[in-house]
């Protein structure tokens, strides 16, 4: 007789019932967990959060929980372990938008879809202006603080043989994320410059008077600084090339101004033009010793494909364009017409 205990059949039914209940509870818990993975985070507006270098997923999710953004950080950690990605999340800044779910958040962290910023280096900038622009980007690490044009290439580990970094970077828009440095931007910019210069040099006109791509880069920087109207780049390059070929002085004001550096007060005088210096193209024959600014691709192309013709002079009209002349007599007339009334303005 079975006394004080259940019969085997009833005990089996109790066990089966318990297992069924446990299974049901497990299924309900699993269903709740799956639904939670696809429910939006608690966000009324976009928020930027950071997973720092050396940080881990646990601390990051706990921080989101403390902010009230993520309800069950342990659940998402569990999903990360299930997916085998708990140690594959990437550091950086992340922008969380309303509607983002825990599942999509985990995907974002693993893919490293971090917040991306951009900085633009503009044609005609000097190295000093480039460095100042990069220092204005609070998300960039300042690895080059205090660097000068003469020492910058060395700091970047770039071996070109050039005496200065002036003109060594390509003007463009560069994207970056928090944690990158100003050096990263300049290294990318220099690689772009080398690629563009090599491409354009390979297709250059056969009779351009440059021995090296660097000389073409110097000319391109002069063209960049002299050009106010894009359509005139090749004409200006043509004037400079013909002057070089004839042994004439280039007499380009931007080079003189560059050589004056911080002492230039905005008023270029005849005294400046008589002052010796490596960038005084009113006294020194040939090209200046280095570029004077960042030339863009269009200026580089113009330097390598100068417009044919007979013009040897040009003078600014005052609206960004220039009057081109083939003889000194024509040029002097243009100077009298456009510039002599301007105090302190020089002419070539």
């Amino acid at each position: 007789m079975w006394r004080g205990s259940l019969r085997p059949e009833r005990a089996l039914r109790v066990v089966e019932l318990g297992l069924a209940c446990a299974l049901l509870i497990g299924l309900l818990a699993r269903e709740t967990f799956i639904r939670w993975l696809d429910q939006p985070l608690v966000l009324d507006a976009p928020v930027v959060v950071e997973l720092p270098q050396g940080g881990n997923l646990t601390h990051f999710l706990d921080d989101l929980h403390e902010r009230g953004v993520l309800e069950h950080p342990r659940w998402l950690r569990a999903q990360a372990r299930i997916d085998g990605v708990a140690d594959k999340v990437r550091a950086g800044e992340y922008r969380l938008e309303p509607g983002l779910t825990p599942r999509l958040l985990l995907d974002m962290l693993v893919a490293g879809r971090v917040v991306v910023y951009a900085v633009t280096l503009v044609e005609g900038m000097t190295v000093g202006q480039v460095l100042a622009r990069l220092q204005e980007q609070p998300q960039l690490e300042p690895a080059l603080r205090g660097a000068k044009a003469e020492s910058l290439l060395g700091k970047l580990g770039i071996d070109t043989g050039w005496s200065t970094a002036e003109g060594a970077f390509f003007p463009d828009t560069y994207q970056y994320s928090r944690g990158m440095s100003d050096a990263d931007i300049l290294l990318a910019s220099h690689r772009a410059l080398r690629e563009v210069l090599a491409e354009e040099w390979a297709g250059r006109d056969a009779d351009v008077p440059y021995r090296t791509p660097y000389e073409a880069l110097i000319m391109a920087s002069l063209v960049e600084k002299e050009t106010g109207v894009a359509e005139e780049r090749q004409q200006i390059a043509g004037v400079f090339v013909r002057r070089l070929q004839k042994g004439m002085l280039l007499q380009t004001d931007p080079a003189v101004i560059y050589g004056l550096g911080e002492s230039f007060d905005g008023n270029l005088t005849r005294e400046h033009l008589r002052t010796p210096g490596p960038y005084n193209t009113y006294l020194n024959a040939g090209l200046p010793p280095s570029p004077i600014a960042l030339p863009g691709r269009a200026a580089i192309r113009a330097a390598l494909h100068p417009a044919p013709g007979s013009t040897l002079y040009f003078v600014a009209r005052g609206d960004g364009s220039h009057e081109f002349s083939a003889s000194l007599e024509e040029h002097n007339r243009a100077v009298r017409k456009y510039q002599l009334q301007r105090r302190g303005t020089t002419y070539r």
Side-chain angles (χ1 to χ4, degrees):
M1 295 180 65
W2 297 87
R3 294 180 180 179
S5 61
L6 297 175
R7 293 180 179 180
E9 296 85 356
R10 183 174 295 179
L12 181 59
R13 286 196 295 272
V14 170
V15 171
E16 290 175 345
L17 181 60
L19 291 174
C21 290
L23 179 60
L24 180 59
I25 292 171
L27 290 173
L28 290 174
R30 182 175 182 276
E31 184 64 25
T32 300
F33 176 67
I34 291 174
R35 284 202 307 269
W36 175 82
L37 285 174
D38 295 314
Q39 290 177 353
L41 302 178
V42 185
L43 288 169
D44 296 325
V47 61
V48 175
V49 295
E50 183 179 7
L51 176 56
Q53 291 287 346
N56 59 51
L57 183 63
T58 296
H59 292 158
F60 179 75
L61 298 182
D62 287 343
D63 180 59
L64 291 184
H65 177 65
E66 291 175 4
R67 292 178 181 221
V69 173
L70 181 67
E71 289 185 311
H72 303 293
R74 292 182 180 178
W75 291 11
L76 196 53
R77 286 197 295 272
Q79 183 63 40
R81 288 193 293 270
I82 292 170
D83 293 341
V85 297
D87 59 349
K88 295 181 180 179
V89 295
R90 302 185 185 182
E93 282 186 318
Y94 292 90
R95 182 180 176 87
L96 311 186
E97 301 273 0
L100 184 72
T101 67
R103 190 191 304 276
L104 294 177
L105 171 61
L106 187 58
D107 291 344
M108 177 188 294
L109 297 174
V110 174
R113 292 193 291 273
V114 297
V115 176
V116 175
Y117 301 93
V119 59
T120 299
L121 308 184
V122 180
E123 293 89 343
M125 277 185 164
T126 64
V127 163
Q129 291 170 329
V130 167
L131 290 172
R133 173 67 58 85
L134 296 180
Q135 289 170 10
E136 294 170 356
Q137 312 302 310
Q139 298 83 11
L140 277 178
E141 295 294 325
L144 300 171
R145 192 181 300 278
K148 303 295 183 182
E150 296 75 20
S151 61
L152 185 56
L153 294 179
K155 285 181 176 291
L156 292 170
I158 296 173
D159 183 13
T160 60
W162 303 349
S163 62
T164 174
E166 200 66 72
F169 308 104
F170 188 68
D172 203 348
T173 296
Y174 296 90
Q175 295 186 333
Y176 66 93
S177 57
R178 183 179 288 277
M180 293 179 64
S181 72
D182 47 10
D184 294 323
I185 300 296
L186 290 186
L187 286 170
S189 182
H190 180 70
R191 286 194 297 269
L193 184 278
R194 297 298 290 263
E195 291 172 4
V196 169
L197 187 58
E199 290 171 5
E200 297 297 334
W201 177 259
R204 68 191 183 280
D205 288 353
D207 58 348
V208 290
Y210 319 120
R211 294 168 297 177
T212 64
Y214 188 60
E215 289 187 351
L217 187 67
I218 295 173
M219 176 63 82
S221 74
L222 301 180
V223 172
E224 189 69 73
K225 294 299 288 186
E226 285 279 16
T227 303
V229 177
E231 292 76 15
E232 291 184 351
R233 286 192 183 96
Q234 286 183 284
Q235 288 178 274
I236 290 173
V239 168
F240 285 150
V241 164
R242 283 186 289 277
R243 292 178 77 97
L244 283 179
Q245 291 170 334
K246 292 178 178 291
M248 298 174 66
L249 297 173
L250 291 182
Q251 296 185 318
T252 172
D253 294 353
V256 179
I257 292 170
Y258 178 83
L260 293 173
E262 295 181 359
S263 67
F264 181 63
D265 62 1
N267 181 31
L268 188 64
T269 66
R270 293 184 182 277
E271 184 63 29
H272 289 139
L273 304 186
R274 291 193 289 264
T275 302
Y279 290 89
N280 191 333
T281 53
Y282 284 80
L283 299 178
N284 304 321
L287 292 166
S290 78
I292 61 172
L294 273 62
R297 183 187 284 269
I300 294 172
R301 182 168 295 170
L304 294 168
H305 302 279
S310 59
T311 56
L312 293 170
Y313 307 88
F314 59 85
V315 63
R317 293 191 178 107
D319 60 358
S321 66
H322 294 86
E323 183 83 9
F324 294 86
S325 303
S327 71
L328 183 59
E329 182 181 3
E330 292 176 5
H331 177 61
N332 286 338
R333 284 200 298 267
V335 168
R336 287 192 293 271
K337 179 178 180 180
Y338 292 109
Q339 283 203 345
L340 282 185
Q341 69 273 26
R342 297 182 185 176
R343 180 181 177 184
T345 302
T346 60
Y347 52 90
R348 60 182 57 80

